[in-house]
Amino acid sequence: MTRRPLVNTLGVLVSLVWVFPVYWMVSSAFLTPQQVRSATPTFVPFGGDLSAFGRVLDSSFLSSMRLSLLVTFLVVTIALLFAFLAALAVSRFRFAGRKGFILTVLIVQMIPAEGLFISQYKMLESWSLLNSVAGLSLVYVAMVLPFTVWMLRGFVEGIPVELEQAAMIDGCGRTRAFFAVTFPLLAPGLVASGVYAFLQAWNEFTLATVVMSPSNRTVPLWLRGLTTQSNAAIDWPGVMAGALLVAVPVIVFFLVVQNKMTSGLVAGAVKG
Amino acid sequence: MAVVLVLALGYPLVRQLLMSFQEFGLAQQFGAAEPEWVGTANYQALFADPVVWGVIARSIAFCAVNASLTMIVGTSVAVLMTKLDGPVRLMLQTSLLLAWAMPVIAAMTVWQWLFDTQYGVINWALVQSGFEGFAGHSWLLNPLSFYFVATVIVVWMSVPFVAFSLYAALTQVSEEVLEAAQLDGASGWQRFRHILVPTIMPIIYVVSLLQVIWDLRVFAQIYYLQGAGGLRSETDLLGTYIYNLGIGQSDYGMASAVATFMLLLTLALTIGYVRKLAKEEEP
């Protein structure tokens, strides 16, 4: 049945290399402390033990979860709203400064966040927004906005404006034509950009380290805390259970939307 | 939209530029002294410091190695995907997707566990394969093996994005053109070199640009590994160096000067791309 056994074997090997760390995270979360300390690693945790989850599901996890959910919700909502308006403006209207705007979005996208965090820290400090949901959300919105504008622009340009014009000839007003015709076609683009913003806000580590204090941590900081909290030996099954809890929502979202994300990106890239 | 961008990116950018020309340390932080204008003194001090040159050189080298490795492996995997039978391709794509979707810190945590000195699978596997010296080996204590671990992780995390983007581009290449070339006697390599590569060139261009930007600014991975046992002074890259100067030592003036240099370096490396886009964008 296989036409190219060598190539297919290579494909299987490559996929094993990439999936092994993910598998190892899942399987280690079910190990007992004795299995972790044995001389031979346990590759299949038979009679898996759920106590690791119990050890990490404490109040600090729940408060981190609440904080991350709130920040992520704010970032997705605000970023989508702004990005939507901006993408429409640059692809449906010709205005002075349009080219400049598109280039600004591109250049801003290239600014490394790591080159800005000192001044962002000082900025939030002078506005008394350090260690606050509002402050963290503000810098996150700025972080995801350039890319969401770029991505949505690719989607808007993929929808022929003639469709809207046809609806207008049929007697719709411009606004109605837009909401009846273009908006539904744009929904996948909005979902994809929203998920991108979700992933960024959920996973971000650098700015959160700078801006938030140890008592007020997002989920990635909480997870990081598990491996650095004391000089005692690290509770690896617990840490892996924590990593699993943080990763599962992301992995599920990702599997649902990745095709749209890649095509949105490729569309944006081709159109520059 | 413009307001948010100006507030959250423009304002810190200007402020950072200003701070880089000021003496801005702990005294200024607590209001004991006003920030004092010192001209280019911060820049002069930084560039006179061999430590800073070491950090810059390491960052550029790390970026070059990681971006090239990611592009080479990512392109190979993308081409491999086009050759696989359906079920194997699905298996490979699912594996890559799972790796891609791992949050950075979750991925770092798993890799720290894999490279664990005492109970890590990697040391165990090396000992089983006859490399007895790896029993209890600490990977993060030596700068070279520290960067080796960081590179393995960064490449593992970046390849899926490259592979999927290029695979998407490769599937756009028309079958007819490839068949015609084959009928004309073009070998597999010739078809790859003269048809596939030129067609997907714009995507290769964008993706490698993003890799350069991302690998130059790598922070979370280095910061995490340093916390897990790396020697900070010998493993700092630009991101962690700025962090330690600013947040760690409260020397905001100096930190801003390095950060400004980092921005200029990124712009210098990407300006060609921006100009190309500026030309293509119709007025």
Side-chain angles (χ1 to χ4, degrees):
Chain A
M1 135 131 220
T2 36
R3 290 164 294 149
R4 293 163 290 212
L6 250 173
V7 177
N8 281 319
T9 313
L10 187 63
V12 171
L13 282 177
V14 174
S15 75
L16 288 180
V17 169
W18 254 269
V19 89
F20 182 74
V22 184
Y23 169 77
W24 198 237
M25 168 182 80
V26 178
S27 95
S28 302
F30 298 97
L31 295 179
T32 61
Q34 291 75 19
Q35 285 171 316
V36 171
R37 299 211 181 318
S38 85
T40 322
T42 310
F43 284 93
V44 185
F46 280 121
D49 156 82
L50 288 170
S51 64
F53 290 91
R55 289 199 297 280
V56 293
L57 276 172
D58 58 2
S59 61
S60 70
F61 173 73
L62 294 177
S63 66
S64 296
M65 200 64 163
R66 245 194 324 271
L67 179 68
S68 271
L69 285 174
L70 181 58
V71 169
T72 307
F73 172 77
L74 284 173
V75 172
V76 171
T77 317
I78 300 171
L80 271 192
L81 185 69
F82 284 125
F84 175 64
L85 296 174
L88 273 189
V90 290
S91 26
R92 285 290 190 260
F93 302 98
R94 297 282 174 265
F95 56 89
R98 175 177 164 274
K99 186 176 168 180
F101 178 80
I102 296 172
L103 284 178
T104 310
V105 168
L106 259 173
I107 294 172
V108 162
Q109 196 164 240
M110 289 171 190
I111 294 179
E114 281 67 17
L116 268 185
F117 60 53
I118 294 300
S119 49
Q120 282 179 325
Y121 171 83
K122 297 299 292 176
M123 173 183 86
L124 293 183
E125 187 187 44
S126 55
W127 295 347
S128 306
L129 285 177
L130 272 187
N131 198 20
S132 74
V133 169
L136 192 64
S137 307
L138 178 69
V139 285
Y140 280 4
V141 168
M143 169 182 82
V144 299
L145 210 43
F147 191 76
T148 42
V149 172
W150 201 35
M151 196 164 165
L152 270 178
R153 176 175 166 251
F155 279 100
V156 175
E157 298 204 332
I159 301 168
V161 72
E162 288 76 19
L163 283 179
E164 251 173 81
Q165 286 162 348
M168 281 157 78
I169 291 168
D170 290 345
C172 285
R174 179 153 198 165
T175 315
R176 181 137 173 256
F178 174 77
F179 279 103
V181 179
T182 308
F183 191 74
L185 292 172
L186 203 53
L190 282 170
V191 172
S193 326
V195 170
Y196 167 79
F198 172 92
L199 295 173
Q200 293 297 312
W202 185 261
N203 292 335
E204 205 282 335
F205 176 73
T206 309
L207 279 167
T209 309
V210 174
V211 165
M212 305 306 275
S213 79
S215 58
N216 223 354
R217 299 183 299 193
T218 57
V219 199
L221 297 187
W222 168 81
L223 178 57
R224 171 84 178 112
L226 289 183
T227 56
T228 48
Q229 55 195 182
S230 65
N231 47 13
I234 299 171
D235 168 17
W236 282 114
V239 173
M240 289 301 112
L244 193 57
L245 290 172
V246 174
V248 161
V250 177
I251 290 179
V252 170
F253 267 111
F254 220 84
L255 291 173
V256 174
V257 296
Q258 74 80 26
N259 272 328
K260 290 194 188 76
M261 276 186 58
T262 329
S263 62
L265 183 87
V266 172
V270 170
K271 294 192 183 81
Chain B
M1 152 81 197
V3 174
V4 173
L5 269 188
V6 167
L7 273 184
L9 284 171
Y11 176 81
L13 197 60
V14 172
R15 180 158 183 174
Q16 171 179 297
L17 198 61
L18 294 179
M19 256 193 314
S20 74
F21 294 106
Q22 290 175 336
E23 159 88 42
F24 202 120
L26 269 183
Q28 287 77 13
Q29 172 73 354
F30 291 110
E34 280 294 301
E36 188 190 335
W37 293 96
V38 293
T40 54
N42 288 332
Y43 291 94
Q44 282 169 7
L46 280 173
F47 293 124
D49 186 349
V51 172
V52 176
W53 285 110
V55 171
I56 294 171
R58 281 201 296 268
S59 293
I60 294 177
F62 185 84
C63 171
V65 169
N66 278 268
S68 337
L69 270 178
T70 305
M71 287 310 294
I72 293 169
V73 178
T75 313
S76 318
V77 173
V79 173
L80 179 66
M81 265 195 247
T82 63
K83 309 265 181 228
L84 292 173
D85 287 330
V88 184
R89 178 162 61 230
L90 190 66
M91 179 181 169
L92 178 56
Q93 288 178 335
T94 313
S95 304
L96 290 173
L97 262 180
L98 289 171
W100 190 13
M102 282 273 268
V104 178
I105 293 306
M108 292 304 299
T109 314
V110 180
W111 280 102
Q112 189 194 345
W113 168 218
L114 288 169
F115 276 107
D116 187 66
T117 306
Q118 266 183 291
Y119 305 112
V121 179
I122 290 175
N123 279 350
W124 174 83
L126 283 168
V127 171
Q128 293 303 305
S129 328
F131 300 95
E132 303 286 340
F134 283 94
H137 178 71
S138 308
W139 287 87
L140 301 178
L141 284 179
N142 170 298
L144 260 186
S145 82
F146 176 96
Y147 285 123
F148 171 77
V149 174
T151 301
V152 167
I153 303 175
V154 169
V155 171
W156 178 80
M157 290 170 76
S158 328
V159 159
F161 167 74
V162 176
F164 278 115
S165 306
L166 293 183
Y167 177 70
L170 283 171
T171 54
Q172 306 296 309
V173 179
S174 99
E175 282 292 323
E176 288 87 22
V177 176
L178 286 174
E179 271 172 36
Q182 193 167 14
L183 287 176
D184 288 343
S187 70
W189 170 250
Q190 284 172 326
R191 274 174 283 150
F192 177 73
R193 176 75 193 76
H194 296 290
I195 300 175
L196 287 180
V197 171
T199 321
I200 63 170
M201 209 53 210
I203 309 290
I204 293 189
Y205 200 53
V206 175
V207 172
S208 43
L209 176 90
L210 288 172
Q211 287 310 319
V212 169
I213 294 174
W214 288 337
D215 291 342
L216 192 63
R217 61 184 264 189
V218 56
F219 172 83
Q221 289 89 340
I222 301 297
Y223 179 81
Y224 187 101
L225 288 178
Q226 287 180 340
L231 298 170
R232 219 176 59 194
S233 58
E234 293 169 48
T235 54
D236 261 339
L237 297 184
L238 279 167
T240 50
Y241 189 70
I242 297 170
Y243 179 87
N244 291 328
L245 263 185
I247 310 295
Q249 301 167 27
S250 297
D251 194 347
Y252 299 104
M254 293 290 247
S256 301
V258 187
T260 307
F261 171 79
M262 185 175 173
L263 290 187
L264 293 177
L265 183 66
T266 312
L267 278 179
L269 290 173
T270 52
I271 192 75
Y273 175 75
V274 174
R275 284 175 50 185
K276 187 169 175 285
L277 282 172
K279 259 184 230 150
E280 280 172 7
E281 188 65 45
E282 81 276 38

